[in-house]
Amino acid sequence: MSAHSPRYYSSLGPFRELFATGHALLTYHHVGPRPRGVRLKGLYVTSKLFAEQMAELKAEGFETDAFGTVSSNPVRPNRVFLTFDDGFADVFENALPVLQQHGFRSIQFLVADLLGKTSEWQASSGEVPGLLMDKAQVKDWLNSGQEIGSHTLTHPRLTQVSPSQAREEISGSKKKLEDTFAVAVEHFCYPYGDWNPAVREIVAEVGYKSACITKFGVNTTEADPFALKRITVRYPSRKLKNLGAWLRSSLGA
């Protein structure tokens, strides 16, 4: 990608060439309307935009695959991995029907101690908490062919807690999710993308097979499976849209 290419995904066009060079992991948080007072507006993608994005990928021949194949299978054209962080209920309500419509699979990284509650880790920053999927919704998510992974027990910054606490957050969430839903939980996502070699080592030691970070990019087969890059999805920038309209007007397009 050029220096002027977007760093956030909204549509396939600007990313087509990049996607051909490695496994692309798209990252979503919320799918649905944005409540009043929200500060982190970029975490929300409208239901309409999400549906358009999935329809575009399907029309262009893209497929999804089990998340475990990110590190084990060779890169091939027209494959994408869909990831959702935190386990927000609006993803279950608004994204799952669209995923089912197109036969797409995805992985939802859950905060194990907060199922059916709210994203209370956001309260200290003044953010509006979002409702999280409850156990019944997670079971329906799994029964529909989707996957789950761990996003810790309580969503802390893992480099800012003690090693013992970090280990409990990482291993305890794995065990809790496996005990609750009777599925193997093999994939992890570092809250806030906050990690270091010591945290990475714990993730590997306790039995996960991969972990996601927030660094932009795609992943070749040589990529560290415990530092998988992703591409955040956002609505199109108004500044970019306005610039495009200005250029078309100026050029008589």
Side-chain angles (χ1 to χ4, degrees), residues 87-163:
F88 286 111
D90 55 18
V91 170
F92 176 82
E93 296 163 358
N94 302 316
L96 181 56
V98 179
L99 294 170
Q100 292 177 302
Q101 175 188 346
H102 296 297
F104 285 166
R105 64 189 304 169
S106 66
I107 188 167
Q108 176 79 261
F109 291 106
L110 301 171
V111 183
D113 272 357
L114 300 179
L115 300 181
K117 300 179 182 179
T118 63
S119 54
E120 58 189 43
W121 66 87
Q122 295 181 315
S124 62
S125 66
E127 183 56 284
V128 177
L131 182 64
L132 302 174
M133 292 166 61
D134 59 27
K135 293 178 183 178
Q137 290 172 323
V138 175
K139 288 178 180 177
D140 286 346
W141 175 268
L142 289 167
N143 289 337
S144 75
Q146 309 303 316
E147 298 180 77
I148 61 172
S150 170
H151 207 30
T152 70
L153 289 168
T154 63
H155 205 285
R157 293 184 181 274
L158 291 170
T159 68
Q160 298 181 18
V161 299
S162 69

Side-chain angles (χ1 to χ4, degrees), residues 57 87 177 212-213 238 251:
L57 290 171
L177 292 173
C212 292
I213 61 177
R238 290 186 177 181
L251 296 174

Side-chain angles (χ1 to χ4, degrees), residues 86 107-112 148-153 169-175 177 185-191 208 210-212:
D86 302 325
I107 188 167
Q108 176 79 261
F109 291 106
L110 301 171
V111 183
I148 61 172
S150 170
H151 207 30
T152 70
L153 289 168
E169 288 278 350
I170 294 165
S171 64
S173 57
K174 185 179 194 299
K175 184 179 188 306
L177 292 173
V185 174
E186 300 177 327
H187 309 291
F188 186 77
C189 181
Y190 305 102
Y208 291 100
S210 75
C212 292

